[in-house]
Amino acid sequence: MRSTHRRLAATAAGLVLLPVVLGGCGIGGDAEKEPAAKPARAPAEEAATRSRERVQAYLDAMTAKDVAAGRSQLCALLHDGFDLGATGPNGDFADHFKVPEAAITDIRPGPFGQEVSVSVSVASGKRTVTRPLVFTVTRDGGDWCIAGEAPGEAPAASPTPPKAPPTPAS
């Protein structure tokens, strides 16, 4: 009875790992009959859509100075840091900053999730600057959230076409 109990416990514990570790090699009972479970991955289209939604909601919150709405777009791991700095002197929600314009410019897969590039115009007093930012959006459990924000690269300057030589009519 004891050995049967141990064998059942070992078998039950190994059921989760066997198809993944031994998948397709014939060891582990029904591993050949049932394909190994593939990791749950969202299709690229869904990932891009969810990432765009999260970042757009964050940009809208920045523009409206809605700290709670901005915080809700972030992964839980970032909440404490956000709470400490969001309304501070250099925070995204600082009172002396206005965001007259913010736009998503690109979405692409990155090493840690979807990378959403944005262009944000920030006004302070009479001065307005436009800065590129990159938000990393990932899945946290069953939901999507912003996992990071970093300075982006400035868009490449388009080359200036050479001036045409004057024509005889000019």
Side-chain angles (χ1 to χ4, degrees):
M1 179 79 152
R2 233 182 213 187
S3 64
T4 304
H5 183 271
R6 284 187 186 153
R7 217 175 312 134
L8 286 174
T11 303
L15 283 178
V16 174
L17 297 176
L18 283 177
V20 175
V21 174
L22 303 174
C25 67
I27 301 174
D30 293 337
E32 286 183 28
K33 293 178 186 172
E34 295 180 28
K38 294 182 181 178
R41 288 192 179 176
E45 199 172 299
E46 179 188 358
T49 299
R50 300 292 180 223
S51 298
R52 175 181 294 280
E53 290 170 353
R54 285 297 181 173
V55 171
Q56 187 61 55
Y58 187 82
L59 296 175
D60 293 345
M62 279 176 45
T63 302
K65 298 289 185 207
D66 187 342
V67 177
R71 185 181 196 269
S72 71
Q73 303 312 311
L74 304 176
C75 295
L77 207 62
L78 299 179
H79 288 179
D80 289 342
F82 177 83
D83 293 344
L84 290 173
T87 58
N90 294 318
D92 288 351
F93 294 81
D95 285 335
H96 61 278
F97 290 142
K98 302 291 179 234
V99 181
E101 188 176 349
I104 295 173
T105 58
D106 189 32
I107 301 173
R108 64 183 58 191
F112 302 108
Q114 295 291 312
E115 293 181 352
V116 181
S117 299
V118 302
S119 175
V120 179
S121 295
V122 179
S124 181
K126 294 181 181 182
R127 186 170 179 230
T128 300
V129 295
T130 301
R131 296 285 186 241
L133 296 172
V134 176
F135 290 94
T136 300
V137 181
T138 189
R139 267 188 107 138
D140 185 13
D143 204 7
W144 293 86
C145 59
I146 296 173
E149 175 185 337
E153 293 183 23
S158 56
T160 309
K163 290 188 175 182
T167 61
S170 36

